[in-house]
Every structure is written in structure tokens, then in C-alpha cells.
Amino acid sequence: MTDLSVTSHVGRDILQSSALFKHEHQVVWEYVSNGLQYIDAEKPLVRVLIDRKAKSITIIDNGRGMSFDDLHQFFQMHGENIDRATGRPGRGFFGTGKSAAFGIANKLRVTTVKDGKRSTVELSREDIDSPEASSRVPVKVIERDQPVDRHNGTQIDVEDVKLSKIDRGAIIREIERHIAHWPSATVYVDHHKCEFVEPVAAKQFTVSTSGTSFEQRLPAVELVLKIAKAPLEENFRGIAVTSKGVLHETTLAGCEAKHLSKYIFGSIEVPQLADDESGISPFDMSRSMVLNRQNETVRAVMAFIGMNVQQAIDNLEKEERQRKASEDAKKLKQEADKIADIINADFDDWSKQLKKVVADAEGTSDLRDGPSSEGDQSLLTPGDDVLAILSDEEAGVSDIHNDLPKPTPPSDEPRPGPEYEADEEGERQAQEKPASPTNRRKRGGFHVDFLEMGEENARAKYEDASRTILINLDHPQIVAAKRDGGIDDPLFRRMAYEVAFSEYAIGLSAECNNVGWYIDPAEPIVAIRETLNRLSRAAASLYQ
């Protein structure tokens, strides 16, 4: 009788694993993190080089490198991580990293030096698709253990990238998101040094599980919860969940849709996740940066975070109501509305001019690449000729005049394992509490608000999701403008108008640039100058 056993089609196995890496930033971080983790130098250094014309990405590190024998382990799908097997913690669990390149490209080349010997190997999509890939996929050996006078390290070349455009900014943001947890590491993307600059916190709390109902599942775990002085960019929001120093998710545990959640950030170190042997893994092989809610430890972590984040938001909402009730706040609100009226009047005129341009272009063809009434319908809203703002590649368009879509609670998003249903506290409690009414964006146009955002932050901040211009009352220039006469001082009012106008001009041009409206690099500069000229004329009476 023939023995029955499980087999695998190696080529399909590689491609299925690579399909988990859909974006360039995921692929690059996979190889950058290897260069940071597998080291023999005190200070790991990684360089990422992007060649958009050649459609290639190169990652070079000063790690410990690999011998030719080590390459056998590197190209073993789902093999046991060597460091983890010897008791050294790290992010490697499923051995899928070597397939990452084929999520976006057709060729992977690995050049590695260890102990004065260099080996170079190459794997292509053509090899993965070959008939013999059902049992094995041959890796082309270009050189093996060639003696060289070079330090240890590895170079990964991802070639023939299939993406229409390599998003350098997304790569930088992904690396900087993680680099906070690698304090001794240095990473360059081309000539940009990736650095994590932590937002300025107005308040900080440390909450322990000790003495709570979470202590049995999460003994001696501490949540560091911080309140930012200014609203945070989306990639800075949330609590970073780490285990033995490795980041696994950044989450607000059900509070994502709450208006004031944009001020919340922090961290929680949960060593129990890395040591979990429950049979239901806290992690999956997708590098999705989402923990598995079916795991009991993960469920407890999310409940603990959700309960404390919700409490922090409740306190912020109370403080916000008190702030808006003050006399100065009422005066600032009136001033903000006046500024917004001028900005929205300008925006309406600008929109009408744009409609005229589009209407005049009907029936003609543009000889250059770029937006046109026929060539790129993504820039036009169905039923309207006004420029629309593309939120991302997959989300479609939303009319700049219409309400923005409300944030979708994470419960509607497919995730590894079922959503955690806490009992009386935690994530479910946070999700079930309705979002603050202030989270509903008023219909149409731009809004202006004054906030105390700390002297370390910029004069103003533009929130593109709600098209709100926030003026920082703590900025030294604005503080000086209202030093003598307070918020009634004409100098302060003029300064406020100037700051808001500048932020609006830059924000409007940035949104146009995001959808590819500009072709010449100088066009945004000209547009900003024209917008500021229009607004300064509209507000000339302030300077009489």
C-alpha cells in the first residue's frame, strides 16, 4: 500500500505567499527589516535605492551576510527561522520573506558576503512558472563563494517591477513607522534619512494590568498612553503593540471613528505574544500588521487598550466642551468663521473657473499627457465637472463639495479571525459608543479653527480629510502678535489671516498635485502664488 502524504506545488506556493505583499512599501520593509535584524555590527545600516526608470529597487545592508549554505535556508519556503530556533527573538515566523519580491516584480537577485566570500544568485518569475516548478524551482547561481575583500552584508535587487509607479513616499513612511522600534538603526531611502520624530505629548499616562481583571492573562503589562498637543497624521495615531521589541500592530482598538482619537498615541509591550503556544497563533503569515483576534491573549490586549483609550477620549471631549464654552473661544470661533468665508468664496470662484476650463475643453484633445475631460475621468465627479479628490488608488473619488465618507469602524473590515466580543469593557465598548457629533463634517468647503498645539509645532496644520485649517495659538509668532491686545489685536487678526491663507493655498495645490493635475513641477508654485494674491486682495480691508 502506498503511503499517503501532503505535497506542495513549489511554484504556486511561492506565488501565493508573494501575493500577500501587494505594495512596494511592504516588500521593501521585509528586506530592510532582515538587514536590521540579522546583524553582527553594533549599528545596522541599510540603504534603499529606487530607480524609477529601470523599474528596480535595491536594498543594501551591513548585516552578517549569508554563506552559500545559508542561501539554502533562505530559499526554503516556510522553513523554521534559525534565530528563533536558537532562542533569539525576532520578527521571522513563517519564512515567507524571500517570496515578497514577486508580489510586485518579476526578478529577485541576492548578492551576499560572509567571511570574505561572496555569492550571487537569481530567481525569476519565469523559473517559478516553469513546468518543473511543481516539485522544485531552480535558483540560478551567478557566483559561489567568490573570495572578496569586503565586509559582510547583503544586497537585494528587486527588478522588473510591475507597478505603474514606485511610491517613494510610501516606502519612507513605512520605514519611519517601524524605525522607532530599532533605536540603533540607520536607514536611507536614496538621499533621505529615515527618522522617527515622536509627536509632542501634552499628557502621558501609564496604566498597568496589575490589580485588574486583565492581570491573569496579561501579568505585569503596562500601557503607555499619550495625548498629542496637535492632531496626529493617521500613521502616527494609535497604540503600538510590540512583543519583545517587534511591532505587530498599531491600533485604537475600536475607537478609530471617534473624533478626538486623532490625538491618541502610545505603546504597549506584551512579551506573552511572542511566547504564545495556545495553538491559535497571535500572528498570521501575511505581514498585515493586524493581530489575530481569535487568540485569547490578543483579545485581552485589545480589550485593555480599548477601555483605556475610550476613557482618554471621554476626558478629551469634556475638556473640548469646556474650551468652546469660554468667551475667548467664542471670539476665536467668530474670527475663524470670517476667515473661512473668505477662503470658501475664493474656492467657489476657483471652482467656477475650473468648470469653465473643462467646458471649453469639451470636443478638443490635449496633445500632452495629463488630466483632460476625456483622458482621466478619475479627476471629474460624475454629474459635475469640478475637480474631485482621489483619496487613494482603490477608494474611488469623492466630490470636494460633498460630505466625505465617514470613517468605517474596523468591525466591517475582514481580519484574521473573528472580531473580539468583549463582555462589559474594552474593544466592543469602544465600538458601540457613538462617535462625537463633531466628527460629522459639515457640507461643503473649508473650515478654520484655533487650537493650542504647543510651541514646538508649526504655525498651522491642514487636515485634508475634513479640509480644516488649524491655527496654532502656541506658536511663538502668533503669541507675539497677540501679546499686547490679545485676540482683539488687529496684528493678531492679520497674522491669523495670513497663516490661514498660506495653509489653504498650499493645501489646495497639494490636493491638485495628488490627483496628477499638474504636469510641470513649477505649476504648484505658480498656483500657490496666484491663490495668495487672490486672498490678499480679498482681505485688503484688514490692513486699512
Side-chain angles (χ1 to χ4, degrees), residues 233-252:
E233 301 293 339
E234 189 170 356
N235 58 314
F236 283 103
R237 300 173 191 172
I239 306 301
V241 183
T242 61
S243 185
K244 298 189 176 179
V246 178
L247 176 65
H248 293 290
E249 181 175 352
T250 302
T251 181
L252 285 163

Side-chain angles (χ1 to χ4, degrees), residues 169-237:
I171 292 172
I172 291 173
R173 288 192 296 273
E174 181 73 4
I175 293 172
E176 291 184 338
R177 174 188 179 189
H178 290 270
I179 204 73
H181 307 285
W182 304 82
S184 62
T186 302
V187 181
Y188 286 91
V189 176
D190 292 332
H191 299 295
H192 175 87
K193 184 178 181 181
C194 295
E195 295 179 296
F196 174 77
V197 180
E198 182 170 292
V200 180
K203 300 176 184 177
Q204 177 174 323
F205 311 94
T206 299
V207 187
S208 174
T209 57
S210 299
T212 71
S213 59
F214 297 96
E215 184 174 17
Q216 184 175 0
R217 175 65 63 177
L218 304 172
V221 168
E222 289 186 340
L223 166 64
V224 179
L225 197 153
K226 302 177 184 180
I227 312 297
K229 287 188 175 181
L232 299 169
E233 301 293 339
E234 189 170 356
N235 58 314
F236 283 103
R237 300 173 191 172

Side-chain angles (χ1 to χ4, degrees), residues 14-82:
I14 294 173
L15 295 179
Q16 286 174 355
S17 296
S18 70
L20 300 170
F21 298 86
K22 300 177 181 179
H23 305 286
E24 61 269 60
H25 60 269
Q26 294 174 306
V27 174
V28 170
W29 174 247
E30 184 66 28
Y31 297 121
V32 167
S33 62
N34 286 344
L36 298 179
Q37 180 174 340
Y38 305 123
I39 60 173
D40 52 16
E42 289 186 9
K43 295 186 176 181
L45 172 65
V46 179
R47 292 183 61 204
V48 179
L49 305 174
I50 300 170
D51 190 332
R52 288 193 173 101
K53 290 184 178 179
K55 305 287 281 188
S56 68
I57 304 172
T58 299
I59 302 98
I60 308 169
D61 67 55
N62 68 340
R64 66 191 184 210
M66 292 179 282
S67 66
F68 192 79
D69 289 339
D70 292 335
L71 286 171
H72 286 279
Q73 178 72 24
F74 178 82
F75 282 103
Q76 181 183 0
M77 290 298 296
H78 312 301
E80 184 178 18
N81 181 276
I82 296 176

Side-chain angles (χ1 to χ4, degrees), residues 76-98:
Q76 181 183 0
M77 290 298 296
H78 312 301
E80 184 178 18
N81 181 276
I82 296 176
D83 282 44
R84 188 167 294 279
T86 57
R88 286 178 288 184
R91 65 188 297 276
F93 282 92
F94 300 97
T96 57
K98 71 280 295 175

Side-chain angles (χ1 to χ4, degrees), residues 258 317 430-436 440:
K258 308 297 172 65
E317 289 177 345
Q431 290 174 338
E432 289 182 349
K433 183 166 181 178
S436 167
R440 301 189 186 97

